[in-house]
Amino acid sequence: MDRLLPSVTDEPHIIHEAMRYSALDSGKRLRPILTLSACEAVGGAVEAAVPSACAIECIHTFSLIHDDLPCMDDDDYRRGRPSLHRAYDEAIALLAGDALFALAFQLICETKGVGEDVLLQVCRVISEATGTGGMVGGQVLDMLLEGEEVTLEQVQEIHRLKTGALIKASVVVGGLIGGASDSQMRALNGYGSNIGLAFQIADDILDLIGDQEKLGKPVGSDIKHKKATYPSVIGIDESARIASEAVAAAISAIENFDERADPLRHIARFVVERES
Ligand code: GRG
């Protein structure tokens, strides 16, 4: 990421500083690690997946910056320090997000050693997961249903779009670049959907009972914003049970993969065991 992001010495300095402030801080890098691990799991050259992995992290960072803005969740802290609009201002935060989104597709297009047909598919998968059929659509549903009485199906749909789609895309992109066969791709799709679900349920639970210090942001934000979450609809215990089932389903989806898929197996367990 450090190598691929524009330098702070490039003009206009402030926007490059702002992009680096958010993109190079203490995030877990779950999505890019998934891309590299999925590529490795199908026997691909991991190095070839690095630009796309970084592109996905840029888009994820973009979503966090915009999510924290006053017109969205209005959060002052992210990853243990002031959110970008607090460290700079709203206009710079908006533009840094936009610039990270543009950079993401530039990184993919400039990838060396991967066929253009594959890069086109990578762009399609990532743009679908980011737009109204993915993250943006999920965020809009989330906003529309704030404060409403929601069903489990509605929460599932919000999670699938808002968080699950980009996590699944991260896995699929690794498979595409690694040259996955059709059956490997089906397995990766199953793995990706299930860990996307498990990840968001764990996120909902952490927002209720997590440690603020470890999370790097205030807990209780979902209750404050009257968000539709798994625990608010079915309680913490049942939510945790569904998350564990999803982890088991993710690991079972890739049961025919050899030991090169062990990182994917470890990540599946990590998404529900994590504390941040
Ligand atoms: C088009 C990019 C884009 C977005 C605009 C604001 C918005 C629409 C969507 C919000 C999507 C969003 C922020 C979903 C929450 C996902 C989530 C649980 C983020 C936390 O992910 P972690 O824990 O974070 O992986 P770190 O900090 O570790 O990277």
Side-chain angles (χ1 to χ4, degrees):
M1 289 289 283
D2 186 31
R3 189 163 43 85
L4 295 174
L5 281 161
S7 160
V8 288
T9 58
D10 292 349
E11 295 274 12
H13 308 302
I14 189 168
I15 191 70
H16 299 135
E17 266 173 34
M19 289 162 76
R20 297 176 77 88
Y21 176 93
S22 286
L24 297 181
D25 68 6
S26 64
K28 294 182 289 297
R29 317 289 178 227
L30 173 75
R31 295 154 191 79
I33 292 169
L34 278 170
T35 303
L36 303 181
S37 302
C39 181
E40 184 182 0
V42 299
V46 169
E47 192 58 30
V50 168
S52 295
C54 291
I56 291 171
E57 183 68 6
C58 285
I59 292 176
H60 167 61
T61 306
F62 162 34
S63 76
L64 299 180
I65 296 170
H66 281 200
D67 198 44
D68 290 339
L69 287 172
C71 62
M72 298 266 177
D73 279 3
D74 193 12
D75 279 324
D76 291 346
Y77 286 93
R78 170 69 65 182
R79 295 170 170 171
R81 59 181 183 162
S83 40
L84 191 61
H85 67 278
R86 285 284 172 196
Y88 290 78
D89 60 34
E90 276 182 53
I92 286 294
L94 194 78
L95 290 165
D98 295 342
L100 285 164
F101 193 44
L103 177 65
F105 290 97
Q106 186 183 340
L107 293 178
I108 298 167
C109 295
E110 290 175 357
T111 304
K112 304 263 185 312
V114 179
E116 286 179 6
D117 52 336
V118 174
L119 296 180
L120 197 60
Q121 289 185 63
V122 168
C123 285
R124 184 180 52 75
V125 167
I126 295 178
S127 51
E128 272 179 17
T130 309
T132 53
M135 201 190 280
V136 173
Q139 178 76 353
V140 173
L141 275 184
D142 196 20
M143 283 162 38
L144 292 176
L145 292 172
E146 255 178 39
E148 300 285 322
E149 191 80 18
V150 290
T151 63
L152 184 58
E153 288 68 34
Q154 284 173 312
V155 185
Q156 261 164 354
E157 186 63 354
I158 294 173
H159 285 11
R160 186 181 69 79
L161 296 169
K162 193 176 95 162
T163 315
L166 192 63
I167 290 182
K168 181 172 165 183
S170 308
V171 177
V172 169
V173 163
L176 283 171
I177 295 174
S181 65
D182 288 350
S183 68
Q184 284 175 323
M185 203 48 104
R186 276 194 297 279
L188 289 177
N189 268 288
Y191 171 88
S193 322
N194 279 295
I195 57 150
L197 173 65
F199 178 88
Q200 183 58 55
I201 298 177
D203 207 73
D204 289 351
I205 295 175
L206 283 171
D207 190 69
L208 278 178
I209 56 167
D211 177 333
Q212 200 151 302
E213 284 289 309
K214 289 180 183 154
L215 283 171
K217 60 179 182 179
V219 291
S221 159
D222 292 338
I223 290 181
K224 186 172 122 199
H225 293 288
K226 300 193 174 71
K227 293 270 190 194
T229 67
Y230 264 72
S232 71
V233 177
I234 55 169
I236 291 188
D237 291 347
E238 182 63 0
S239 301
R241 194 188 60 75
I242 295 179
S244 296
E245 265 181 23
V247 169
I251 293 173
S252 137
I254 52 167
E255 66 191 358
N256 290 333
F257 287 27
D258 64 20
E259 71 285 352
R260 286 174 297 186
D262 283 349
L264 288 182
R265 297 183 180 101
H266 288 298
I267 297 167
R269 291 183 204 103
F270 166 78
V271 296
V272 291
E273 286 166 8
R274 70 201 169 97
E275 295 184 316
S276 70

